[in-house]
Amino acid sequence: MKYPGKTNDKARLRLLHSHPCGLLLVRELRPPSGKPVLCEFMTLPVAPGDDGKDRVIGTVVSRKAIPEKEVDFKLEAPLTLHRAVFFDIGHGVPEAPHLTV
């Protein structure tokens, strides 16, 4: 999927491993109703898999309670980004002001 900001999203995920840290993103997602909902994505690095590729684990939660039938989000453009911030998990945070919002 192509969308504005994809290059920066990939750079942020690479930093999770090169400088172990967490990442919090706040994005607008659209449930079936089509009404935008602010959601928080928290992503953490984990050890590589058997194939040696980097892995991440994360959660997505809406900032406000929404009806259960509206929880069927799909990651579709636009993925409007409102906030991007790295957080310390014991190794500090990368110096990457161009990747924070």
Side-chain angles (χ1 to χ4, degrees):
M1 166 179 41
K2 291 184 180 182
Y3 60 92
K6 184 174 184 173
T7 300
N8 284 345
D9 280 348
K10 290 171 113 177
R12 288 181 189 103
L13 290 175
R14 282 192 294 275
L15 277 174
L16 296 185
H17 296 282
S18 63
H19 186 130
C21 62
L23 175 64
L24 175 69
L25 300 173
V26 177
R27 290 192 182 278
E28 265 181 33
L29 295 182
R30 294 184 185 272
S33 70
K35 181 180 177 188
V37 175
L38 281 180
C39 294
E40 295 179 356
F41 292 65
M42 185 186 71
T43 308
L44 298 166
V46 294
D50 291 339
D51 58 6
K53 292 182 179 179
D54 289 335
R55 301 281 195 258
V56 296
I57 188 169
T59 63
V60 179
V61 64
S62 63
R63 282 199 157 174
K64 293 183 179 178
I66 58 174
E68 187 173 337
K69 67 181 179 183
E70 293 294 322
V71 179
D72 185 22
F73 293 101
K74 292 183 175 64
L75 288 178
E76 297 174 341
L79 293 173
T80 305
L81 181 65
H82 288 265
R83 183 88 168 111
V85 63
F86 295 101
F87 60 91
D88 190 350
I89 58 171
H91 304 281
V93 294
E95 182 62 38
H98 63 290
L99 295 175
T100 60
V101 177

